[in-house]
Amino acid sequence: MIKCVAIDDEPKALDIIRHHMAKIDFAQLEATFTDPFEAIKYLNSHTIDLLLLDIQMPDINGIQVLDHLASQCLVIFTTAFSEHASKSYELNAVDYLLKPFDFSRLLLAMNKVRDKISLSSKFQTEFFFVNSGNHKRKLRYQDILFVKSEGNYVVYQTITERIIVRATIMDTLNLLPPGLFIQIHRSNIVSLNWIDKVVDNHVQIGEHKLPISAGFREAFMKFIGE
């Protein structure tokens, strides 16, 4: 069961979320809040899986709420303002719901959450397999330095070799443990374990220097604790 909390300063919006969530048998809405500060207190003393979070609220916005949480959880942003969409994806939100949204749209988002949680359980192993040419190649997470997009392919740079796979960077990101890997550019994913230093707008991994784009910089710096 996916344990959820919803925050929205509009009571009617929370009523809609409650109504829709009651129809989803794999999720439980543990609590709802119109006051984001009360929600922060609750979240810092309870463990949840998912936060349904309004962005535009008085006094403190949804993005700022995340900065006050002691632990991370999956997030679905809800808002009436489409201009916040790009920001939500920079923060690795599972989905972005534009109000007013119907049950089918929320269910689609919740299925993404369920898939992501299911996928994370696979990361309890130390390796995974990819299709490279006519072969299946075994890759150990700890051996991957970074992944770089090259046209219709991605290149896994490991400690010993380059492995080329036909895939998108987003498909690849979904295969990697989010606590160990982060996207720093539309074409680059890096392993936290192998970062030697961060200089200006670049990550240094051994002899490799990878750019950090403006759209991913804030999430990356938060990821490394700056």
mmCIF file of all heavy atoms in Angstrom, residues 90-132:
data_model
loop_
_atom_site.group_PDB
_atom_site.id
_atom_site.type_symbol
_atom_site.label_atom_id
_atom_site.label_comp_id
_atom_site.label_asym_id
_atom_site.label_seq_id
_atom_site.Cartn_x
_atom_site.Cartn_y
_atom_site.Cartn_z
ATOM 1 N N GLU A 90 12.552 19.319 -13.086
ATOM 2 C CA GLU A 90 13.919 19.528 -12.623
ATOM 3 C C GLU A 90 14.103 18.939 -11.233
ATOM 4 O O GLU A 90 15.195 18.492 -10.868
ATOM 5 C CB GLU A 90 14.239 21.023 -12.592
ATOM 6 C CG GLU A 90 14.428 21.661 -13.962
ATOM 7 C CD GLU A 90 14.572 23.165 -13.869
ATOM 8 O OE1 GLU A 90 14.946 23.659 -12.780
ATOM 9 O OE2 GLU A 90 14.293 23.855 -14.865
ATOM 10 N N LEU A 91 13.036 18.950 -10.442
ATOM 11 C CA LEU A 91 13.090 18.429 -9.076
ATOM 12 C C LEU A 91 12.759 16.939 -9.023
ATOM 13 O O LEU A 91 12.539 16.384 -7.955
ATOM 14 C CB LEU A 91 12.131 19.218 -8.185
ATOM 15 C CG LEU A 91 12.502 20.693 -7.983
ATOM 16 C CD1 LEU A 91 11.382 21.437 -7.284
ATOM 17 C CD2 LEU A 91 13.796 20.822 -7.196
ATOM 18 N N ASN A 92 12.729 16.304 -10.194
ATOM 19 C CA ASN A 92 12.506 14.849 -10.289
ATOM 20 C C ASN A 92 11.149 14.414 -9.745
ATOM 21 O O ASN A 92 11.026 13.341 -9.152
ATOM 22 C CB ASN A 92 13.626 14.082 -9.581
ATOM 23 C CG ASN A 92 14.955 14.241 -10.288
ATOM 24 O OD1 ASN A 92 15.012 14.269 -11.511
ATOM 25 N ND2 ASN A 92 16.020 14.346 -9.525
ATOM 26 N N ALA A 93 10.142 15.270 -9.915
ATOM 27 C CA ALA A 93 8.790 14.862 -9.539
ATOM 28 C C ALA A 93 8.354 13.699 -10.413
ATOM 29 O O ALA A 93 8.734 13.600 -11.578
ATOM 30 C CB ALA A 93 7.822 16.031 -9.700
ATOM 31 N N VAL A 94 7.547 12.814 -9.849
ATOM 32 C CA VAL A 94 7.046 11.674 -10.616
ATOM 33 C C VAL A 94 6.106 12.155 -11.713
ATOM 34 O O VAL A 94 6.127 11.659 -12.838
ATOM 35 C CB VAL A 94 6.323 10.672 -9.698
ATOM 36 C CG1 VAL A 94 5.729 9.531 -10.515
ATOM 37 C CG2 VAL A 94 7.269 10.132 -8.644
ATOM 38 N N ASP A 95 5.293 13.170 -11.388
ATOM 39 C CA ASP A 95 4.351 13.691 -12.383
ATOM 40 C C ASP A 95 3.927 15.102 -11.985
ATOM 41 O O ASP A 95 4.234 15.580 -10.880
ATOM 42 C CB ASP A 95 3.128 12.777 -12.496
ATOM 43 C CG ASP A 95 2.499 12.800 -13.882
ATOM 44 O OD1 ASP A 95 2.724 13.790 -14.613
ATOM 45 O OD2 ASP A 95 1.792 11.847 -14.232
ATOM 46 N N TYR A 96 3.199 15.726 -12.894
ATOM 47 C CA TYR A 96 2.746 17.106 -12.736
ATOM 48 C C TYR A 96 1.297 17.147 -13.193
ATOM 49 O O TYR A 96 1.004 16.863 -14.359
ATOM 50 C CB TYR A 96 3.642 18.006 -13.597
ATOM 51 C CG TYR A 96 3.186 19.426 -13.761
ATOM 52 C CD1 TYR A 96 3.634 20.405 -12.889
ATOM 53 C CD2 TYR A 96 2.331 19.796 -14.799
ATOM 54 C CE1 TYR A 96 3.223 21.723 -13.050
ATOM 55 C CE2 TYR A 96 1.920 21.098 -14.961
ATOM 56 C CZ TYR A 96 2.379 22.061 -14.088
ATOM 57 O OH TYR A 96 1.979 23.366 -14.239
ATOM 58 N N LEU A 97 0.391 17.442 -12.271
ATOM 59 C CA LEU A 97 -1.035 17.455 -12.596
ATOM 60 C C LEU A 97 -1.536 18.889 -12.672
ATOM 61 O O LEU A 97 -1.421 19.658 -11.714
ATOM 62 C CB LEU A 97 -1.833 16.689 -11.534
ATOM 63 C CG LEU A 97 -1.447 15.226 -11.318
ATOM 64 C CD1 LEU A 97 -2.379 14.588 -10.294
ATOM 65 C CD2 LEU A 97 -1.472 14.451 -12.619
ATOM 66 N N LEU A 98 -2.086 19.237 -13.830
ATOM 67 C CA LEU A 98 -2.614 20.583 -14.038
ATOM 68 C C LEU A 98 -4.096 20.597 -13.667
ATOM 69 O O LEU A 98 -4.899 19.833 -14.214
ATOM 70 C CB LEU A 98 -2.424 20.987 -15.505
ATOM 71 C CG LEU A 98 -2.764 22.430 -15.864
ATOM 72 C CD1 LEU A 98 -1.863 23.406 -15.100
ATOM 73 C CD2 LEU A 98 -2.614 22.644 -17.374
ATOM 74 N N LYS A 99 -4.440 21.429 -12.699
ATOM 75 C CA LYS A 99 -5.836 21.523 -12.251
ATOM 76 C C LYS A 99 -6.685 22.204 -13.329
ATOM 77 O O LYS A 99 -6.215 23.125 -14.006
ATOM 78 C CB LYS A 99 -5.921 22.349 -10.964
ATOM 79 C CG LYS A 99 -5.165 21.796 -9.787
ATOM 80 C CD LYS A 99 -5.270 22.795 -8.622
ATOM 81 C CE LYS A 99 -4.442 22.387 -7.444
ATOM 82 N NZ LYS A 99 -4.501 23.376 -6.350
ATOM 83 N N PRO A 100 -7.962 21.784 -13.456
ATOM 84 C CA PRO A 100 -8.580 20.654 -12.749
ATOM 85 C C PRO A 100 -8.247 19.337 -13.466
ATOM 86 O O PRO A 100 -8.295 19.272 -14.687
ATOM 87 C CB PRO A 100 -10.066 20.962 -12.852
ATOM 88 C CG PRO A 100 -10.194 21.716 -14.138
ATOM 89 C CD PRO A 100 -8.918 22.505 -14.303
ATOM 90 N N PHE A 101 -7.889 18.321 -12.714
ATOM 91 C CA PHE A 101 -7.581 17.025 -13.303
ATOM 92 C C PHE A 101 -8.662 16.023 -12.891
ATOM 93 O O PHE A 101 -9.259 16.129 -11.824
ATOM 94 C CB PHE A 101 -6.199 16.526 -12.882
ATOM 95 C CG PHE A 101 -5.960 16.541 -11.393
ATOM 96 C CD1 PHE A 101 -6.346 15.479 -10.597
ATOM 97 C CD2 PHE A 101 -5.340 17.633 -10.798
ATOM 98 C CE1 PHE A 101 -6.128 15.491 -9.231
ATOM 99 C CE2 PHE A 101 -5.114 17.651 -9.416
ATOM 100 C CZ PHE A 101 -5.502 16.578 -8.631
ATOM 101 N N ASP A 102 -8.905 15.046 -13.758
ATOM 102 C CA ASP A 102 -9.936 14.047 -13.474
ATOM 103 C C ASP A 102 -9.310 12.786 -12.888
ATOM 104 O O ASP A 102 -8.087 12.695 -12.720
ATOM 105 C CB ASP A 102 -10.756 13.732 -14.729
ATOM 106 C CG ASP A 102 -9.907 13.204 -15.876
ATOM 107 O OD1 ASP A 102 -8.750 12.792 -15.635
ATOM 108 O OD2 ASP A 102 -10.402 13.202 -17.025
ATOM 109 N N PHE A 103 -10.168 11.818 -12.586
ATOM 110 C CA PHE A 103 -9.687 10.585 -11.957
ATOM 111 C C PHE A 103 -8.692 9.839 -12.835
ATOM 112 O O PHE A 103 -7.684 9.328 -12.353
ATOM 113 C CB PHE A 103 -10.865 9.666 -11.619
ATOM 114 C CG PHE A 103 -10.432 8.302 -11.161
ATOM 115 C CD1 PHE A 103 -9.858 8.119 -9.904
ATOM 116 C CD2 PHE A 103 -10.578 7.196 -11.996
ATOM 117 C CE1 PHE A 103 -9.440 6.857 -9.482
ATOM 118 C CE2 PHE A 103 -10.166 5.933 -11.578
ATOM 119 C CZ PHE A 103 -9.594 5.775 -10.326
ATOM 120 N N SER A 104 -8.965 9.764 -14.134
ATOM 121 C CA SER A 104 -8.092 9.002 -15.028
ATOM 122 C C SER A 104 -6.684 9.593 -15.059
ATOM 123 O O SER A 104 -5.701 8.848 -15.119
ATOM 124 C CB SER A 104 -8.677 8.936 -16.436
ATOM 125 O OG SER A 104 -8.763 10.225 -17.004
ATOM 126 N N ARG A 105 -6.586 10.918 -14.989
ATOM 127 C CA ARG A 105 -5.259 11.543 -15.005
ATOM 128 C C ARG A 105 -4.516 11.272 -13.699
ATOM 129 O O ARG A 105 -3.302 11.011 -13.707
ATOM 130 C CB ARG A 105 -5.400 13.061 -15.221
ATOM 131 C CG ARG A 105 -4.055 13.798 -15.303
ATOM 132 C CD ARG A 105 -3.254 13.339 -16.499
ATOM 133 N NE ARG A 105 -1.928 13.945 -16.534
ATOM 134 C CZ ARG A 105 -0.860 13.458 -15.936
ATOM 135 N NH1 ARG A 105 -0.962 12.319 -15.249
ATOM 136 N NH2 ARG A 105 0.307 14.053 -16.031
ATOM 137 N N LEU A 106 -5.222 11.325 -12.575
ATOM 138 C CA LEU A 106 -4.583 11.007 -11.295
ATOM 139 C C LEU A 106 -4.176 9.535 -11.255
ATOM 140 O O LEU A 106 -3.084 9.203 -10.769
ATOM 141 C CB LEU A 106 -5.526 11.317 -10.133
ATOM 142 C CG LEU A 106 -4.993 10.956 -8.735
ATOM 143 C CD1 LEU A 106 -3.711 11.711 -8.410
ATOM 144 C CD2 LEU A 106 -6.047 11.219 -7.665
ATOM 145 N N LEU A 107 -5.009 8.659 -11.769
ATOM 146 C CA LEU A 107 -4.686 7.226 -11.785
ATOM 147 C C LEU A 107 -3.430 6.970 -12.612
ATOM 148 O O LEU A 107 -2.576 6.155 -12.222
ATOM 149 C CB LEU A 107 -5.859 6.421 -12.332
ATOM 150 C CG LEU A 107 -5.659 4.907 -12.404
ATOM 151 C CD1 LEU A 107 -5.386 4.321 -11.023
ATOM 152 C CD2 LEU A 107 -6.880 4.235 -13.037
ATOM 153 N N LEU A 108 -3.298 7.661 -13.731
ATOM 154 C CA LEU A 108 -2.100 7.525 -14.558
ATOM 155 C C LEU A 108 -0.860 7.913 -13.750
ATOM 156 O O LEU A 108 0.164 7.210 -13.782
ATOM 157 C CB LEU A 108 -2.216 8.414 -15.795
ATOM 158 C CG LEU A 108 -1.003 8.433 -16.735
ATOM 159 C CD1 LEU A 108 -0.772 7.057 -17.338
ATOM 160 C CD2 LEU A 108 -1.222 9.472 -17.838
ATOM 161 N N ALA A 109 -0.954 9.013 -13.008
ATOM 162 C CA ALA A 109 0.165 9.452 -12.179
ATOM 163 C C ALA A 109 0.466 8.450 -11.075
ATOM 164 O O ALA A 109 1.635 8.152 -10.788
ATOM 165 C CB ALA A 109 -0.140 10.826 -11.580
ATOM 166 N N MET A 110 -0.571 7.900 -10.457
ATOM 167 C CA MET A 110 -0.375 6.945 -9.373
ATOM 168 C C MET A 110 0.223 5.636 -9.893
ATOM 169 O O MET A 110 0.998 4.983 -9.185
ATOM 170 C CB MET A 110 -1.696 6.682 -8.659
ATOM 171 C CG MET A 110 -2.216 7.872 -7.845
ATOM 172 S SD MET A 110 -1.050 8.412 -6.568
ATOM 173 C CE MET A 110 -0.952 6.935 -5.544
ATOM 174 N N ASN A 111 -0.120 5.266 -11.104
ATOM 175 C CA ASN A 111 0.499 4.074 -11.698
ATOM 176 C C ASN A 111 1.994 4.295 -11.920
ATOM 177 O O ASN A 111 2.800 3.372 -11.767
ATOM 178 C CB ASN A 111 -0.184 3.719 -13.013
ATOM 179 C CG ASN A 111 -1.500 2.999 -12.812
ATOM 180 O OD1 ASN A 111 -1.678 2.282 -11.822
ATOM 181 N ND2 ASN A 111 -2.434 3.184 -13.719
ATOM 182 N N LYS A 112 2.374 5.519 -12.252
ATOM 183 C CA LYS A 112 3.796 5.852 -12.390
ATOM 184 C C LYS A 112 4.497 5.693 -11.043
ATOM 185 O O LYS A 112 5.621 5.198 -10.970
ATOM 186 C CB LYS A 112 3.970 7.286 -12.894
ATOM 187 C CG LYS A 112 3.579 7.512 -14.332
ATOM 188 C CD LYS A 112 3.844 8.965 -14.723
ATOM 189 C CE LYS A 112 3.429 9.263 -16.140
ATOM 190 N NZ LYS A 112 3.681 10.678 -16.508
ATOM 191 N N VAL A 113 3.824 6.140 -9.991
ATOM 192 C CA VAL A 113 4.390 6.019 -8.644
ATOM 193 C C VAL A 113 4.573 4.549 -8.284
ATOM 194 O O VAL A 113 5.628 4.134 -7.788
ATOM 195 C CB VAL A 113 3.480 6.702 -7.604
ATOM 196 C CG1 VAL A 113 3.963 6.405 -6.178
ATOM 197 C CG2 VAL A 113 3.443 8.207 -7.837
ATOM 198 N N ARG A 114 3.553 3.752 -8.539
ATOM 199 C CA ARG A 114 3.637 2.319 -8.231
ATOM 200 C C ARG A 114 4.768 1.658 -9.008
ATOM 201 O O ARG A 114 5.527 0.857 -8.454
ATOM 202 C CB ARG A 114 2.312 1.638 -8.554
ATOM 203 C CG ARG A 114 2.316 0.145 -8.244
ATOM 204 C CD ARG A 114 0.923 -0.461 -8.305
ATOM 205 N NE ARG A 114 0.342 -0.339 -9.646
ATOM 206 C CZ ARG A 114 -0.833 -0.882 -9.981
ATOM 207 N NH1 ARG A 114 -1.530 -1.561 -9.080
ATOM 208 N NH2 ARG A 114 -1.308 -0.732 -11.201
ATOM 209 N N ASP A 115 4.902 2.013 -10.284
ATOM 210 C CA ASP A 115 5.977 1.442 -11.096
ATOM 211 C C ASP A 115 7.347 1.856 -10.562
ATOM 212 O O ASP A 115 8.288 1.054 -10.547
ATOM 213 C CB ASP A 115 5.835 1.897 -12.548
ATOM 214 C CG ASP A 115 4.623 1.281 -13.242
ATOM 215 O OD1 ASP A 115 4.076 0.301 -12.700
ATOM 216 O OD2 ASP A 115 4.235 1.792 -14.303
ATOM 217 N N LYS A 116 7.456 3.099 -10.135
ATOM 218 C CA LYS A 116 8.740 3.592 -9.625
ATOM 219 C C LYS A 116 9.112 2.886 -8.329
ATOM 220 O O LYS A 116 10.275 2.530 -8.113
ATOM 221 C CB LYS A 116 8.667 5.104 -9.407
ATOM 222 C CG LYS A 116 10.024 5.787 -9.273
ATOM 223 C CD LYS A 116 9.865 7.288 -9.278
ATOM 224 C CE LYS A 116 11.212 7.985 -9.283
ATOM 225 N NZ LYS A 116 11.939 7.823 -10.553
ATOM 226 N N ILE A 117 8.138 2.678 -7.448
ATOM 227 C CA ILE A 117 8.399 1.972 -6.195
ATOM 228 C C ILE A 117 8.766 0.516 -6.478
ATOM 229 O O ILE A 117 9.679 -0.037 -5.860
ATOM 230 C CB ILE A 117 7.174 2.060 -5.264
ATOM 231 C CG1 ILE A 117 7.013 3.498 -4.757
ATOM 232 C CG2 ILE A 117 7.317 1.102 -4.081
ATOM 233 C CD1 ILE A 117 5.759 3.735 -3.953
ATOM 234 N N SER A 118 8.056 -0.091 -7.417
ATOM 235 C CA SER A 118 8.359 -1.474 -7.794
ATOM 236 C C SER A 118 9.764 -1.578 -8.371
ATOM 237 O O SER A 118 10.512 -2.512 -8.055
ATOM 238 C CB SER A 118 7.335 -1.977 -8.814
ATOM 239 O OG SER A 118 7.660 -3.269 -9.259
ATOM 240 N N LEU A 119 10.127 -0.607 -9.203
ATOM 241 C CA LEU A 119 11.455 -0.616 -9.800
ATOM 242 C C LEU A 119 12.539 -0.452 -8.753
ATOM 243 O O LEU A 119 13.593 -1.089 -8.813
ATOM 244 C CB LEU A 119 11.561 0.506 -10.840
ATOM 245 C CG LEU A 119 12.859 0.574 -11.644
ATOM 246 C CD1 LEU A 119 13.034 -0.689 -12.475
ATOM 247 C CD2 LEU A 119 12.855 1.809 -12.531
ATOM 248 N N SER A 120 12.276 0.384 -7.749
ATOM 249 C CA SER A 120 13.289 0.626 -6.721
ATOM 250 C C SER A 120 13.618 -0.644 -5.946
ATOM 251 O O SER A 120 14.738 -0.808 -5.445
ATOM 252 C CB SER A 120 12.822 1.726 -5.759
ATOM 253 O OG SER A 120 11.737 1.285 -4.975
ATOM 254 N N SER A 121 12.642 -1.548 -5.855
ATOM 255 C CA SER A 121 12.910 -2.806 -5.146
ATOM 256 C C SER A 121 13.928 -3.656 -5.893
ATOM 257 O O SER A 121 14.632 -4.471 -5.301
ATOM 258 C CB SER A 121 11.614 -3.594 -4.954
ATOM 259 O OG SER A 121 11.096 -4.028 -6.193
ATOM 260 N N LYS A 122 14.039 -3.443 -7.210
ATOM 261 C CA LYS A 122 15.009 -4.182 -8.006
ATOM 262 C C LYS A 122 16.434 -3.731 -7.696
ATOM 263 O O LYS A 122 17.391 -4.443 -7.973
ATOM 264 C CB LYS A 122 14.724 -3.988 -9.494
ATOM 265 C CG LYS A 122 13.376 -4.513 -9.943
ATOM 266 C CD LYS A 122 13.145 -4.245 -11.420
ATOM 267 C CE LYS A 122 11.768 -4.706 -11.859
ATOM 268 N NZ LYS A 122 11.526 -4.405 -13.292
ATOM 269 N N PHE A 123 16.570 -2.533 -7.154
ATOM 270 C CA PHE A 123 17.899 -2.001 -6.891
ATOM 271 C C PHE A 123 18.542 -2.635 -5.660
ATOM 272 O O PHE A 123 19.647 -2.270 -5.277
ATOM 273 C CB PHE A 123 17.842 -0.484 -6.725
ATOM 274 C CG PHE A 123 17.344 0.236 -7.946
ATOM 275 C CD1 PHE A 123 16.562 1.363 -7.828
ATOM 276 C CD2 PHE A 123 17.658 -0.229 -9.213
ATOM 277 C CE1 PHE A 123 16.112 2.031 -8.952
ATOM 278 C CE2 PHE A 123 17.206 0.428 -10.344
ATOM 279 C CZ PHE A 123 16.433 1.565 -10.211
ATOM 280 N N GLN A 124 17.826 -3.556 -5.046
ATOM 281 C CA GLN A 124 18.426 -4.280 -3.933
ATOM 282 C C GLN A 124 19.510 -5.232 -4.438
ATOM 283 O O GLN A 124 20.367 -5.662 -3.677
ATOM 284 C CB GLN A 124 17.339 -5.051 -3.172
ATOM 285 C CG GLN A 124 16.341 -4.132 -2.489
ATOM 286 C CD GLN A 124 15.215 -4.908 -1.825
ATOM 287 O OE1 GLN A 124 15.245 -6.126 -1.736
ATOM 288 N NE2 GLN A 124 14.215 -4.195 -1.350
ATOM 289 N N THR A 125 19.462 -5.563 -5.724
ATOM 290 C CA THR A 125 20.549 -6.323 -6.330
ATOM 291 C C THR A 125 21.667 -5.361 -6.689
ATOM 292 O O THR A 125 21.488 -4.142 -6.682
ATOM 293 C CB THR A 125 20.067 -7.058 -7.585
ATOM 294 O OG1 THR A 125 19.637 -6.091 -8.552
ATOM 295 C CG2 THR A 125 18.929 -8.000 -7.273
ATOM 296 N N GLU A 126 22.825 -5.884 -7.032
ATOM 297 C CA GLU A 126 23.985 -5.056 -7.329
ATOM 298 C C GLU A 126 24.211 -4.858 -8.811
ATOM 299 O O GLU A 126 25.153 -4.166 -9.207
ATOM 300 C CB GLU A 126 25.237 -5.690 -6.707
ATOM 301 C CG GLU A 126 25.180 -5.804 -5.193
ATOM 302 C CD GLU A 126 26.430 -6.441 -4.626
ATOM 303 O OE1 GLU A 126 27.240 -6.969 -5.418
ATOM 304 O OE2 GLU A 126 26.600 -6.409 -3.402
ATOM 305 N N PHE A 127 23.354 -5.431 -9.653
ATOM 306 C CA PHE A 127 23.605 -5.392 -11.090
ATOM 307 C C PHE A 127 22.296 -5.430 -11.870
ATOM 308 O O PHE A 127 21.217 -5.679 -11.322
ATOM 309 C CB PHE A 127 24.479 -6.580 -11.504
ATOM 310 C CG PHE A 127 23.856 -7.919 -11.168
ATOM 311 C CD1 PHE A 127 22.968 -8.532 -12.039
ATOM 312 C CD2 PHE A 127 24.149 -8.546 -9.961
ATOM 313 C CE1 PHE A 127 22.386 -9.743 -11.724
ATOM 314 C CE2 PHE A 127 23.570 -9.766 -9.638
ATOM 315 C CZ PHE A 127 22.684 -10.362 -10.525
ATOM 316 N N PHE A 128 22.401 -5.179 -13.170
ATOM 317 C CA PHE A 128 21.271 -5.322 -14.075
ATOM 318 C C PHE A 128 21.824 -5.672 -15.457
ATOM 319 O O PHE A 128 23.043 -5.688 -15.668
ATOM 320 C CB PHE A 128 20.412 -4.055 -14.114
ATOM 321 C CG PHE A 128 21.114 -2.847 -14.691
ATOM 322 C CD1 PHE A 128 20.751 -2.327 -15.913
ATOM 323 C CD2 PHE A 128 22.142 -2.217 -13.984
ATOM 324 C CE1 PHE A 128 21.380 -1.212 -16.446
ATOM 325 C CE2 PHE A 128 22.768 -1.094 -14.495
ATOM 326 C CZ PHE A 128 22.399 -0.599 -15.731
ATOM 327 N N PHE A 129 20.934 -5.966 -16.414
ATOM 328 C CA PHE A 129 21.366 -6.364 -17.747
ATOM 329 C C PHE A 129 20.863 -5.368 -18.780
ATOM 330 O O PHE A 129 19.752 -4.825 -18.669
ATOM 331 C CB PHE A 129 20.838 -7.767 -18.087
ATOM 332 C CG PHE A 129 21.507 -8.874 -17.314
ATOM 333 C CD1 PHE A 129 21.000 -9.283 -16.085
ATOM 334 C CD2 PHE A 129 22.640 -9.498 -17.823
ATOM 335 C CE1 PHE A 129 21.609 -10.300 -15.367
ATOM 336 C CE2 PHE A 129 23.255 -10.516 -17.110
ATOM 337 C CZ PHE A 129 22.753 -10.914 -15.888
ATOM 338 N N VAL A 130 21.683 -5.116 -19.803
ATOM 339 C CA VAL A 130 21.294 -4.255 -20.912
ATOM 340 C C VAL A 130 21.562 -4.995 -22.221
ATOM 341 O O VAL A 130 22.404 -5.893 -22.283
ATOM 342 C CB VAL A 130 22.071 -2.917 -20.905
ATOM 343 C CG1 VAL A 130 21.699 -2.085 -19.690
ATOM 344 C CG2 VAL A 130 23.582 -3.148 -20.970
ATOM 345 N N ASN A 131 20.833 -4.602 -23.265
ATOM 346 C CA ASN A 131 21.059 -5.157 -24.593
ATOM 347 C C ASN A 131 22.068 -4.291 -25.334
ATOM 348 O O ASN A 131 21.833 -3.112 -25.571
ATOM 349 C CB ASN A 131 19.748 -5.214 -25.389
ATOM 350 C CG ASN A 131 18.759 -6.183 -24.791
ATOM 351 O OD1 ASN A 131 19.114 -7.295 -24.414
ATOM 352 N ND2 ASN A 131 17.506 -5.765 -24.693
ATOM 353 N N SER A 132 23.203 -4.869 -25.677
ATOM 354 C CA SER A 132 24.244 -4.160 -26.415
ATOM 355 C C SER A 132 24.588 -4.984 -27.652
ATOM 356 O O SER A 132 25.181 -6.057 -27.548
ATOM 357 C CB SER A 132 25.485 -3.962 -25.545
ATOM 358 O OG SER A 132 26.481 -3.234 -26.233
#
